[in-house]
Amino acid sequence: MNNIYGGANRYNTKEDRLAILNVYRSKLLSLLKEGFNPFEDNTKRYKEREEGKSNKGQDIGSKTSKRPVDPETVDGSMTVTMPYDEAFKIGLKYKEKLISDTTRRSYENRLKNFLVWIEKNHPEVKDITDIDKKIVIDFLNHILDKTSPRNRNNYRTDLSSIMQVLEDNDIIQSNYIKKIPVLKSVPQRNRTYSQEEQRTIFEHLEKTDETLLLFIKFISYNFLRPIEACRLRVGDLDIKNKRIQFKAKNSPLKTKIIPDILLQDLPDLSKMNKEHSFFTPDGIGGVWDAELSNKRDYFSKRFKRVVKDPFNLGADYGLYSFRHTYITKLYRELVKGSSPFEAKSKLMQITGHSSMKALEKYLRDIDAEFPDDYSELIKS
């Protein structure tokens, strides 16, 4: 059989392609179970099926039922009524095979909050088909009142993703959440540190918290995100070849060099267990049995206690600020001896951005690019 692509290659991400291919797979299996044969002319069988649909529709009439329906008794293209909590469990089960553990926990948490809200505010709702666009909008407005437009949009995205799975598997007729607009939100940005602020913080940490200082140096010198530093195991660092491997935001496994400026600060790892966490609350190399998000939160709180509070730094300064600071510093040094395009090409290899477009957007967001003095151009 020739491969069936069905236009899936038009989608950019692996997740989107798998989603549409899963729909094709479900439909093809349904047709095969009905007796359709890819090696025969199925025109007669198709007409018989359509006539059967029409007859079933007349038999069902206007009757409705809130009881779960046996999917074998209803044509595969019709929706199946089932309790909404069961439907969401099915949607999450299918979805979790395509997402990371961190994303799965995010889905679980938001779904849990949604279900609790429905139970409290709409006790009459029993089945997945009872939940409509109006109910979801009311819930999203509830989240907006309590938190922020960004969080409301995140809830919308996760709920829509689960609903799409339910639509793809004929559990609901359509994913109406896609038609709910995304609200405009201003993202919170971590500010960059001045050279004096960065130097003072490093000097302070040399005396007070060497583990936190090394954690920050991985963010500053290797341009890891805080959560990527939390993922590191001892065995991810190849000291001999000056390489580090880790799971990045845009890649299941990324390899970078360890620059000498960071290499000289690393302890002797030869006698440490390669499976142990590299960073732990008690130092470098050890067992730290905690969720990844909890590890990230731990170092964020430790940074607040050891650095932010003593230096009276505002909410817009954080661990991420060091990544912004050093990428800005590196770009401005690179662009001194080359064109902006050449500088960005070298920078992209170092930072690990997936595309030039992504890097350029990042540089704009952190105000890394400054024009030359234009005073002469506006003199009267």
Side-chain angles (χ1 to χ4, degrees):
M1 295 290 294
N2 293 329
N3 291 330
I4 300 174
Y5 297 102
N9 57 313
R10 293 198 300 267
Y11 294 86
N12 293 326
T13 67
K14 178 182 178 182
E15 181 176 354
D16 289 340
R17 291 183 181 188
L18 284 175
I20 192 68
L21 289 172
N22 278 331
V23 177
Y24 295 159
R25 177 180 179 275
S26 175
K27 294 297 183 183
L28 286 171
L29 285 174
S30 177
L31 290 171
L32 291 171
K33 288 178 181 179
E34 290 181 45
F36 286 86
N37 190 331
F39 303 103
E40 297 177 357
D41 183 349
N42 294 279
T43 304
K44 181 180 178 181
R45 186 180 298 276
Y46 173 76
K47 289 181 178 179
E48 290 175 349
R49 188 185 71 162
E50 293 304 302
E51 290 175 0
K53 277 187 184 181
S54 178
N55 293 334
K56 279 186 179 180
Q58 293 174 4
D59 293 340
I60 294 173
S62 59
K63 295 179 182 179
T64 58
S65 173
K66 294 298 182 182
R67 294 174 298 173
V69 179
D70 183 356
E72 294 297 326
T73 66
V74 180
D75 184 83
S77 63
M78 299 181 66
T79 56
V80 178
T81 303
M82 66 173 63
Y84 63 83
D85 55 344
E86 181 181 336
F88 284 129
K89 285 180 182 178
I90 292 174
L92 185 60
K93 180 181 178 181
Y94 289 150
K95 192 69 181 177
E96 67 183 5
K97 299 183 183 299
L98 305 174
I99 56 180
S100 66
D101 288 341
T102 303
T103 305
R104 175 184 55 79
R105 286 192 294 271
S106 173
Y107 275 71
E108 288 176 342
N109 183 57
R110 288 181 175 134
L111 270 178
K112 178 183 176 182
N113 292 337
F114 182 45
L115 297 182
V116 169
W117 181 87
I118 289 177
E119 186 176 349
K120 179 180 179 181
N121 295 276
H122 293 278
E124 75 282 1
V125 170
K126 302 298 180 184
D127 298 320
I128 188 63
T129 53
D130 295 334
I131 300 176
D132 56 19
K133 183 178 176 183
K134 178 64 168 61
I135 288 178
V136 176
I137 289 175
D138 288 345
F139 171 72
L140 294 178
N141 288 337
H142 162 72
I143 296 297
L144 178 62
D145 289 339
K146 287 181 59 180
T147 56
S148 65
R150 181 181 181 184
N151 194 36
R152 178 265 190 198
N153 290 340
N154 289 337
Y155 267 93
R156 175 199 169 279
T157 298
D158 286 1
L159 291 176
S160 178
S161 184
I162 295 296
M163 284 292 195
Q164 190 60 49
V165 174
L166 300 184
E167 178 189 334
D168 295 342
N169 288 274
D170 290 331
I171 296 175
I172 62 173
Q173 190 171 9
S174 65
N175 177 15
Y176 44 79
I177 300 181
K178 291 191 295 186
K179 298 179 180 179
I180 299 176
V182 176
L183 298 184
K184 183 178 180 180
S185 63
V186 179
Q188 183 180 359
R189 199 194 89 185
N190 288 282
R191 296 181 61 180
T192 57
Y193 296 104
S194 68
Q195 187 171 346
E196 180 62 24
E197 288 172 332
Q198 174 265 313
R199 183 183 59 80
T200 304
I201 291 172
F202 276 28
E203 290 176 352
H204 169 71
L205 289 174
E206 285 174 356
K207 302 172 184 176
T208 59
D209 196 332
E210 291 185 350
T211 299
L212 181 58
L213 176 59
L214 186 58
F215 186 87
I216 290 173
K217 285 182 176 179
F218 269 84
I219 298 170
S220 303
Y221 300 157
N222 243 133
F223 305 111
L224 269 62
R225 298 171 179 86
I227 199 165
E228 292 169 351
C230 290
R231 285 195 186 102
L232 290 178
R233 298 170 303 167
V234 173
D236 293 334
L237 281 75
D238 180 356
I239 304 301
K240 180 180 178 181
N241 296 303
K242 300 199 298 185
R243 296 289 186 269
I244 181 174
Q245 288 189 326
F246 59 96
K247 184 182 182 301
K249 177 181 178 180
N250 54 8
S251 173
L253 187 64
K254 186 174 287 294
T255 302
K256 286 186 175 183
I257 69 165
I258 303 175
D260 288 338
I261 191 174
L262 179 59
L263 200 65
Q264 65 188 11
D265 290 331
L266 297 180
D268 182 9
L269 307 180
S270 60
K271 297 181 181 179
M272 295 184 184
N273 189 322
K274 293 183 180 297
E275 296 301 318
H276 282 176
S277 297
F278 185 81
F279 288 107
T280 76
D282 300 321
I284 305 303
V287 177
W288 190 10
D289 188 15
E291 296 286 350
L292 184 61
S293 58
N294 292 337
K295 292 182 178 182
R296 178 189 57 193
D297 292 343
Y298 169 81
F299 274 103
S300 295
K301 291 175 181 177
R302 184 162 169 170
F303 177 73
K304 182 179 184 301
R305 183 180 71 254
V306 179
V307 176
K308 289 187 70 170
D309 290 346
F311 284 86
N312 294 316
L313 296 173
D316 47 357
Y317 285 101
L319 289 168
Y320 235 113
S321 297
F322 290 101
R323 189 171 188 264
H324 301 338
T325 299
Y326 275 84
I327 289 180
T328 299
K329 184 176 182 179
L330 181 58
Y331 174 70
R332 291 178 182 171
E333 288 297 318
L334 287 171
V335 83
K336 286 179 181 179
S338 60
S339 68
F341 180 80
E342 290 173 326
K344 291 171 188 175
S345 298
K346 293 178 182 177
L347 185 62
M348 192 168 72
Q349 289 182 310
I350 298 171
T351 63
H353 282 86
S354 58
S355 67
M356 180 66 75
K357 183 178 179 181
L359 175 61
E360 288 176 339
K361 182 181 184 303
Y362 177 81
L363 294 175
R364 286 196 300 271
D365 289 344
I366 65 174
D367 296 326
E369 293 184 283
F370 281 123
D372 295 330
D373 188 354
Y374 49 85
S375 299
E376 291 294 330
L377 301 176
I378 58 175
K379 281 184 178 179
S380 57

